[in-house]
Amino acid sequence: MKHRFVRSISLLVSLLLAVSILASCQQQTATTPEEPTASDESKKTEVAETPQDKTDSENAEQKSEQNTEMVKADDYVPKVNKEKVFRATWGSWPKPPQFQGNPFTQGGVGEMGRYVFERLTQIVRSTDVIHPILATSIEHSERESVIKLRDDVTWNDGEKFTADDVIAAFYLNPRTICNYLTKVEKIDDYTVKLVWQDPPPFMELRDLLIAQDGTMNVPYHIFKEYVDKAKSIYESARDATPEELAVARTAFGKKLTEEQDKALSDNWNEMMKLTYPKPIGTGPYVVESVTASDAVLVKRDDYWAADQIYFEKIHHITGTAESMLGMLRNGTTDIYNGSLPKDLAESILASNKDIVFYPMFDPACHVLFFNQRREPFNDVNLRRALVYALDRTKIREGANYYGKEFPISMVGMPPSSLETYVSEEMRAKLTKYEYDPEKAARILEENGWKRNKDGIWEDKNGKTYSFTIAVNAGWQPAGVVDTAASIAAEQLTKFGFPTQVVAVDSSVFWNNAAKEGMYDMVIEWGDITWSFMYPWSPLNNTFKGGPSELMGLPRDPETNRVNLKVKGPDGTEVDPIELVDKLPVTADEEERQKIIDTLVWICNEYAFGANLYQNTTGVWLNRKTITGLPMEDEIDKYNQFMPVGRNFEEIVDIAELNIGFADMYVIWSGDLKPR
Amino acid sequence: MIKHLAKRFGIALFTLILASFMTFLILRAMPGDVVEMMSRSEAQSRGISLEDARKIVVNMLNYDPDEPILRQMARYYGGLLRGNLGTSMYSRTLTVNQIIAETLPWTLFVLSISLILSFFIGTRLGMLMAWKRNSFINPVISVYSIITTAIPNFIFGILLILIFGIKLKWFPLVGAYSPNIKPGFTLEFILDVLYHAALPILTYVLTSVGMWALQMRGAAMNVLGEDYITAARARGIPDNLIRKRYVKKNAMLPMVTHLAMSFGTMVGGSTLIESTFSYPGMGAFIAQATAQRDYTMMQGMLLVTSFAVILANLIADLLYSKLDPRVKTEG
C-alpha cells in the first residue's frame, strides 16, 4: 500500500514536470501590427508625416483592420473598479528594513517618490511640454525668474508648504540649474526669485532647466539644520572667476575652498543619517505599507487637488522581469512601461484582450561607438566606411523590431528631432549613410586599404585587424544590444573585418569601456536626451558625458576636459566643447541655430559612431479596470496595438502615460480614472 | 572525549577565521568600481554631468575607496570582536546585524520547510528505487532526478509562476505576505504567509527532492550488498523488516549528516529562488548586495553563512559518531 503511495507521488511529480515544460512551451498566436506608426514626437512640427511615416501608418492600420476579427469589440466586457485601486508594476525600492523616508539616501524611496513627491512643474519627456504643479507661474526678466507657488499646499505631515521648502532644495541638493544661478531668494512665503549668472540662459531654456531638475522642494522643517549649514557655506564662498567657470561651472558660481568643500560633504553625510519611516511629500498619496514586493499608498483627503485624483489607493508591485510580465499577461496590473520583443508583445496582446499597448518614440538610440583611442578607429575614413558597411535595417529587425533606423552616422541628438531643431539647409548638407558595402569598400581603397586573398582588409602598411564589440552584460531587457552586436559583428566580419562580441559584466563595463577604453567598439545609449528635447541636453551629453568617453575623444590630461578641435561645415576650426558651453547662454536665436547645426554636422561627418536605430518604447495599460485612455474608442479598431500619436496632442497624451516620461502626471491630472 | 571536542572546536574556529579572512580579501579583489557604477546611474537619472554625479556618489556611499586595506581590515575585525558586522554602504543607520535579523527568519522559514519536505520525500523515493531497482520506478525517478538536478532552480520557479501564478492564478507571483494584512501572530497572517510561501517551497522541493533520492538510492544500494542483509534473508526475516530495520536505518546515516550540513548552507538562502519570488530572505539580500558591490553587507552575510555551515558541519561530525557506534571518537 505504501509502495503504491510513494509510486503515485513519483508519477505525479514527473507528470507535473512534464506539464510545466509543455505549458511553458505553449505557443501563443498573435495578430498585431508589425510596426508602430511613426511620427515625430517633436513639439514644433505639427506631425508632418514623412512619406515613410505615412506608409508605416497606413500599413499598421491595414494590418489592424485585417486582424480585428481576432478580438471583437463585443468580446470586451469591462469590470467596475469599485475599490478605485491603481495597480502599477514597474521599478523598485529599497527592501525593508532598508526602506525609510529620507529620499537622499542611496536608493531613496524608489517608486514611492512618484506618488508622494511633487514637482514645481512637470516636464513630459520627448515633447518638452511643461505642466505647472506646485508653481502657479514663472516669470522671467533679464537676470531673474520669479516663481509663484500655490498657497494651499501642505506636506503629508500637516506642515504648510512655503517658499522656504523650495529654496531648501536648491541649497541642500544643487542640481544642474544651480550651475547657472548666483542665488535663490525668498520674496514672500509663496514667491521665490532665481537670480541667474551673467550671461544667463536664454528664456525658453530656463523653464526647461527648472522642470528638468526633479522635485526641487524638500520639507524645510525636517532638513532645516542641514539646509541652513549648506546655504551658509555657499554664501561664505568666493565667486569663481570667469576663467574658472569656463573650465567647469559650479553651483551658484562659487569656488569652494578645500575646507568649505569638506564642510559641505560632512553636512551631507550627517544629513544622510537622518531617517524617518515614511517619505514626506506634498503629493496626493501617502505610503501605507511597504514590503519587498508590494507597496500600498492611500489618497490624502487634505491634498490640494483631491477632487481631481480618482484613485483611492495605489498598489505598486515589483519583482523580476518575468513576474512583472506575468502580471501584465494575467491582468493583475494596470500599467507596465517599456517595449518588449515582437513575439512577446504579440503573445501578451493575443492572450489578454484587456491589455492595450501604446508605442512611443523614445528620444534614445542604440549607437555603435567607435573608440578613437584604438587604431584604426582614429581614421575618419575607416569610421565612415564602417557605417556604410552596416545593414542597419537587418540589425533593427533582429534586435529592436519596433525601432527605426535613420540614414546618418550619429548626430548627437535623437534623429527623430532633426527636423525640428536642425535647419533645412544643414539637413541637406548632412551625408546620407545608406547601407552600401561597395561604397564602403571604395572609401577604404581610396585611402590605401586593400583586401587580401582571404578577403580581409589590410591597411596601407599591410596590417590586418580583428575587432571587438563590447556590450554591457547586465543590459535590460536581455537580447537587445547583444543581438544588435552579434548582427553587426557578423556584417563587419563578412565585409572583411573579423569582429567578435564580448558581453562585459555590468560591474566593470563602464570602467573598461569608458575609463580604460579597452574595446574597439561599444554599443550603448547614444544620440539621447535624458531630460528635455532641446538639443543642448543631448549634445552636452554627447560631447561631455558618457558617449564622449566611449568615443575616446581626446582629453586634456590636467582637467580631463574633452580637447577636440575639428574643421566645421564652413572649413574653419571649431572647438565643440566651447560651442556646447556657449549654447545655453546664447541669447541670439540665429546664433544658437548655427551652433546646433555645426555640432550635429560634426557628429555626422566625423562618424564618431553608427546610430543603429532609435528606440521605440511604450506603455501597457489594462482597460478592464481603468478608463480615460487616449484613443479609447479606437482600441478594438487597432487590435490593442495603438498607433504612435497621429497629431501633437495625441503624442503628448501618449507620452504622459509613460511613468518614465512624465511620472504619474496622468493620475495627477485626473486623465486616468478607475473604471 | 574532551580532547576530541576541543580539537573539533579548534578546527571549526580556525576555519571560521580563515573564511572571514578569505571573504574579506576576495570581495575586495572582485572587479567592479562601485563609485563608477553608481555615478553613471545617478548622472542618467538626474540628468547631471558625470563629474557632479561622482561627487554626489562618493558622499552618498558609506565607503571610502581610498582607505588602505589594512585599516579596513582592522576596522572589520575590531567590529567583529564586538559582534558588529558593520554598516551597509548604502544605509548609514542600518547595521548588517539588523538586516540579517530581519531577513534570516524568512529564509529559515521557507527553506527549513522545503528541506524537511524534500528530505522526507527524497529519501523515501531513493529507498524505493534501491529496493525495486528492476521496476519502472527506478528509471522514471532517475530521469526526473537528473533533469531537476541539471536545470537551475530559478527556471523551475519561473515555470511554477507561469503555471500556478499566471495561468491558473492559484498563488501570488511575488512577496512574502499580502500588503493589506498586518504582520503579527494571527491566523490570518500565518495562513497568508504560508499561501505566499507555497511556490518558493514547491520550487525548492521539486528541484532538490531528486538529489536526496539519488543519494539515498546510492546509500541503500551499498547496504543491500552487505553480508548481513544476505544473512538476514537467509534467516527468513520478512522483507519489510529487512527494508526498514536493516537497510533504511543504515542507509540513513550518511543522509542525516548531509541533512545537518544542508541546514547550515540553508542560512545563506537560495539566492535565485528568493530573487525570483521577490522573497525578503537573506538570499535576495546577498544577491542585491553583490549587484551593488555593497562590500560590508556581503562580507557580513557571507560570514554568517560560513559560520552556519561550519557549525552544522561540527554538529554533523559529533552527531555521526553518536548515531553510528562503529565510528569511534579519537582519544
Side-chain angles (χ1 to χ4, degrees), chain A residues 186-214:
Chain A
K186 177 178 174 179
I187 305 290
D188 59 43
D189 273 355
Y190 302 104
T191 313
V192 174
K193 184 168 80 178
L194 309 182
V195 183
W196 301 97
Q197 290 174 26
D198 189 25
F202 59 92
M203 300 287 183
E204 297 87 333
L205 189 67
R206 294 183 195 181
D207 287 331
L208 294 170
L209 285 172
I210 293 168
Q212 79 149 353
D213 273 340

Side-chain angles (χ1 to χ4, degrees), chain A residues 320-331:
Chain A
T320 58
E322 292 80 16
S323 55
M324 289 199 276
L325 288 176
M327 285 178 240
L328 178 67
R329 189 185 281 271
N330 73 5

